[in-house]
């Protein structure tokens, strides 16, 4: 039973399209995150939600819009996809926003924009 | 901006050898975490160190938090091919509401 699950695992799409990545956690955590891992494996936070409320919004283009319908789900919608959006996107969750607690990561979604 | 720099970025050694990976910053962190990531998977937490000077052991892995809480190290004894992976250190970022990751050390243990 997967703790943090993302779909799809792979996504290949053309420039200009709009796409969504879904994330669900069954751990009962209050906090969820989206991270982007580039080709050099650098993980950078994009967004953080605590109990459906946005608490972190890093310098991310407006084309990226997270949506949290409930505290178990945090979806990522991307408009007008660009080549530079190609990366692996990870969803994660933790019990608290504070980081002495463990963050659990999904398997990642490999997005390729062509 | 709090930055974590890991070294080396790539390390390839033979099975049975010992190795140390470093995670350094100019900033003080209240805690540091080490994650391991395998291909096609998300990072998985190995350990969290909280107290300056703290040493934690996980089988053949030894983690140390610097006295000033600005750096950490991961030492692996008698490395095995199963230790192969991407090792990431992470610290609590400003505002204490996000993890800031280092760029990772890609470790390959050759049989």
């Amino acid at each position: 039973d997967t703790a943090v699950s993302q779909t799809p695992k792979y996504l290949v799409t053309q420039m200009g399209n709009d796409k969504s990545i879904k994330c669900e956690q069954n751990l009962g955590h209050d906090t969820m995150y989206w991270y982007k891992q580039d080709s050099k494996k650098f993980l950078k936070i994009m967004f953080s939600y605590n109990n459906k409320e946005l608490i972190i919004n890093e310098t991310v283009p407006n084309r990226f819009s997270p949506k949290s319908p409930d505290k178990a789900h945090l979806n990522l919608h991307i408009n007008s996809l660009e080549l530079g959006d190609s990366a692996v996107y990870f969803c994660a969750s933790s019990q608290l926003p504070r980081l002495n607690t463990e963050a659990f990561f999904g398997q990642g979604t490999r997005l390729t924009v062509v | 901006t709090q930055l974590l720099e890991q070294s080396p970025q790539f390390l390839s050694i033979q099975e049975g050898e010992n190795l140390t990976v470093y995670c350094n910053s100019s900033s003080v962190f209240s805690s540091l975490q080490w994650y391991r990531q395998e291909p096609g998977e998300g990072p998985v937490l190995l350990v969290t160190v909280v107290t300056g000077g703290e040493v934690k052991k996980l089988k053949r892995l030894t983690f140390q938090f610097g006295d000033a809480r600005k750096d950490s190290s991961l030492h692996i004894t008698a490395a095995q091919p199963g230790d192969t992976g991407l090792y990431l250190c992470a610290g609590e970022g400003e505002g204490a509401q996000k993890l800031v990751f280092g760029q990772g050390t890609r470790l390959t243990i050759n049989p």
Side-chain angles (χ1 to χ4, degrees), chain A residues 9 37 41 56 58 100, chain B residues 31 37 40 97-99 106:
Chain A
K9 188 170 172 64
Q37 188 170 45
K41 303 302 181 184
I56 292 175
E58 291 293 290
N100 283 351
Chain B
S31 64
Q37 184 180 9
Q97 291 185 335
K98 62 182 179 182
L99 268 177
R106 185 173 297 283

Side-chain angles (χ1 to χ4, degrees), chain B residues 34-102:
Chain B
W34 284 92
Y35 286 80
R36 180 177 157 206
Q37 184 180 9
E38 298 192 32
E41 302 290 331
V44 176
L45 180 70
L46 295 173
V47 76
T48 301
V49 285
V50 178
T51 308
E54 182 177 3
V55 176
K56 281 192 174 178
K57 292 195 174 186
L58 194 65
K59 297 184 181 177
R60 293 175 295 100
L61 277 61
T62 301
F63 303 86
Q64 185 160 8
F65 200 11
D67 291 340
R69 292 187 287 122
K70 291 184 178 181
D71 56 87
S72 181
S73 64
L74 158 60
H75 182 79
I76 301 180
T77 304
Q80 298 178 0
D83 296 328
T84 293
L86 178 69
Y87 289 82
L88 297 157
C89 68
E92 196 169 323
E94 292 173 355
Q97 291 185 335
K98 62 182 179 182
L99 268 177
V100 175
F101 281 88

Side-chain angles (χ1 to χ4, degrees), chain B residues 11-13 19 76 83-87 105-109:
Chain B
L11 183 59
S12 179
I13 63 172
L19 67 107
I76 301 180
D83 296 328
T84 293
L86 178 69
Y87 289 82
T105 294
R106 185 173 297 283
L107 176 64
T108 303
I109 309 301

